[in-house]
Amino acid sequence: MEMLWEIALLQASVLLCVSAQHSSHKIHEGWWAYKEMVQGSFVPVPSFWGLVNSAWNLCSVGKRQSPINIETSHMIFDPFLTPLRINTGSRKVSGTMYNTGRHVSLRLDKEHLVNVSGGPMAYSHRLEEIRLHFGSEDSQGSEHLLNGQAFSGEVQLIHYNHELYSNVSEASRSPHGLLVVSIFIKVSEMANPFLNRLLNRDTITRITYKNDAYLLQSLNIEELYPETPSFITYEGSMTVPACYETVSWIIMNKPVYITRMQMHSLRLLSQNQPSQIFLSMSDNFRPVQLLNNRCIRTNINFSLPGKDCPNNRAQKLQYRAQHSVQSG
Ligand SMILES: *[C@@H]1O[C@H](CO)[C@@H](O)[C@H](O)[C@H]1NC(C)=O
Ligand SMILES: *[C@@H]1O[C@H](CO)[C@@H](O)[C@H](O)[C@H]1NC(C)=O
Ligand SMILES: *[C@@H]1O[C@H](CO)[C@@H](O)[C@H](O)[C@H]1NC(C)=O
């Protein structure tokens, strides 16, 4: 029953798609969603992204898609990964925080250049945007999973290769174009100082509705990073259409924290404008994609002296340690 319904919707959407392509490229670019609409017209959810627009076909047929489930037992220690270097020029930055209808998005002012290099990168990459993904409940919200488990959210710092390309849109469709640093979010008593600036009640309530924007000054990007030099890296794609496979992912090996109240405030953001019904932005994540034959590398040297024991490997990971601290 549900299946037939989906096929009918798909056929309808293909027809709509053809006419949309003729009428307006712009409308078409925004024609996707994370979840079914409660009311209103059909909008393609993740499993349809690659089917409704030929420019997005990598979303369906790509072999290096993101996000993925990171199985720590599959990670490979790569001794050639260098430390991640964040270059802010010791300056604070200003930027505008937006409700895009899909994400909380912070875009830095153009005069503030923050670059990252090192890690798996041969080039320096410039920070373009910071995006938040989060769940309607604490057990979900992150795009990447760790050993099958989701976190309550995920912050993604989207950078482009400014040595090879002149802007993020050119870089996003080009080889070695993008670098995304991803940090898991957990709910706790304390809050990350950078996220505190974005998510305190005074600030977050300024972007309740789609297209709301709010200027923030004197932000320190380095405060967003958890205190760990350890990361996991793999080659993947953008997690939104057109799903271009041009992204090097770096997943930091420690989460950052936000308070229960801040998570609650995020769930009160609407995907819609004030004149439309309230539809929570939460659960704005793409489901995990197949790893295929990709390699997941890490700079965590978990090899034990003497012999290489797969069962003992994961125990050196920060996440294991943190889980046991919290539950114990
Ligand atoms: C980032 O790179 C650009 C170009 O190489 C450079 O002009 C700028 O100073 C760098 N930014 C920082 C903060 O170092
Ligand atoms: C990005 O750069 C390309 C190549 O230089 C250029 O054609 C395009 O207009 C630029 N796009 C934006 C949005 O600035
Ligand atoms: C990784 O750890 C092992 C065991 O402690 C050590 O022998 C080896 O030199 C380390 N490798 C690197 C590259 O640090």
Side-chain angles (χ1 to χ4, degrees):
M1 207 41 202
E2 209 165 86
M3 188 71 178
L4 285 174
W5 174 231
E6 288 201 345
I7 290 167
L9 281 175
L10 177 61
Q11 285 169 345
S13 70
V14 168
L15 288 174
L16 277 171
C17 166
V18 170
S19 57
Q21 258 172 353
H22 285 289
S23 57
S24 165
H25 185 61
K26 260 281 184 279
I27 289 174
H28 204 73
E29 267 180 10
W31 197 53
W32 60 270
Y34 287 106
K35 47 194 178 184
E36 309 278 350
M37 295 289 155
V38 176
Q39 66 163 35
S41 53
F42 169 78
V43 175
V45 294
S47 53
F48 287 83
W49 291 351
L51 305 174
V52 298
N53 183 339
S54 59
W56 299 346
N57 73 337
L58 278 175
C59 302
S60 302
V61 304
K63 295 275 186 269
R64 293 193 304 148
Q65 289 289 295
S66 295
I68 57 165
N69 172 30
I70 296 157
E71 285 291 344
T72 49
S73 58
H74 290 169
M75 297 192 319
I76 294 165
F77 169 55
D78 181 348
F80 298 105
L81 289 168
T82 57
L84 198 58
R85 288 191 303 278
I86 303 145
N87 186 354
T88 61
S90 313
R91 278 187 303 269
K92 302 217 168 161
V93 299
S94 53
T96 308
M97 185 163 75
Y98 296 93
N99 175 333
T100 66
R102 297 198 180 95
H103 311 108
V104 172
S105 161
L106 179 79
R107 288 179 177 274
L108 299 197
D109 287 354
K110 287 292 173 216
E111 68 267 25
H112 294 296
L113 306 178
V114 175
N115 303 332
V116 298
S117 55
M121 293 168 275
Y123 300 92
S124 168
H125 288 67
R126 178 167 301 154
L127 183 60
E128 175 76 15
E129 185 187 348
I130 298 174
R131 239 178 235 176
L132 262 58
H133 300 261
F134 54 92
S136 57
E137 41 194 295
D138 291 356
S139 59
Q140 62 192 50
S142 64
E143 297 215 283
H144 288 86
L145 306 183
L146 190 72
N147 295 325
Q149 294 252 290
F151 286 75
S152 309
E154 183 170 333
V155 197
Q156 296 177 354
L157 295 92
I158 302 166
H159 308 73
Y160 74 94
N161 183 336
H162 66 93
E163 295 194 62
L164 293 183
Y165 308 113
S166 52
N167 55 51
V168 70
S169 50
E170 184 195 359
S172 69
R173 24 186 123 81
S174 312
H176 308 290
L178 300 179
L179 171 85
V180 184
V181 176
S182 194
I183 307 168
F184 289 126
I185 297 175
K186 283 177 95 168
V187 175
S188 177
E189 301 301 310
M190 46 193 179
N192 171 276
F194 183 93
L195 292 176
N196 227 354
R197 290 286 314 279
L198 273 61
L199 304 182
N200 71 73
R201 270 194 76 72
D202 267 359
T203 310
I204 195 71
T205 49
R206 314 260 179 164
I207 62 157
T208 299
Y209 300 104
K210 185 179 178 177
N211 298 335
D212 285 351
Y214 188 66
L215 178 70
L216 286 169
Q217 273 161 334
S218 190
L219 294 167
N220 183 354
I221 300 291
E222 281 165 303
E223 285 181 348
L224 176 54
Y225 280 82
E227 273 182 40
T228 179
S230 310
F231 59 81
I232 295 154
T233 181
Y234 77 97
E235 297 302 310
S237 74
M238 291 162 52
T239 57
V240 299
C243 307
Y244 294 128
E245 296 180 330
T246 54
V247 184
S248 297
W249 284 88
I250 293 183
I251 290 127
M252 300 307 294
N253 187 39
K254 258 191 184 178
V256 286
Y257 297 89
I258 65 173
T259 65
R260 186 152 300 286
M261 180 64 102
Q262 290 171 343
M263 181 53 93
H264 182 68
S265 305
L266 282 171
R267 292 174 184 148
L268 291 178
L269 298 177
S270 182
Q271 294 180 47
N272 282 333
Q273 293 176 335
S275 58
Q276 298 169 300
I277 58 151
F278 173 85
L279 207 54
S280 172
M281 189 192 280
S282 55
D283 296 332
N284 53 353
F285 57 87
R286 184 188 193 197
V288 290
Q289 307 293 306
L290 292 175
L291 182 62
N292 294 317
N293 289 316
R294 283 175 290 177
C295 182
I296 305 175
R297 294 181 294 153
T298 179
N299 65 347
I300 308 165
N301 182 358
F302 47 70
S303 65
L304 294 174
K307 68 173 187 203
D308 190 22
C309 172
N311 291 335
N312 285 335
R313 281 182 165 191
Q315 284 175 8
K316 277 207 171 178
L317 282 170
Q318 304 268 17
Y319 281 115
R320 277 293 176 91
Q322 292 213 348
H323 276 303
S324 50
V325 166
Q326 290 212 333
S327 56

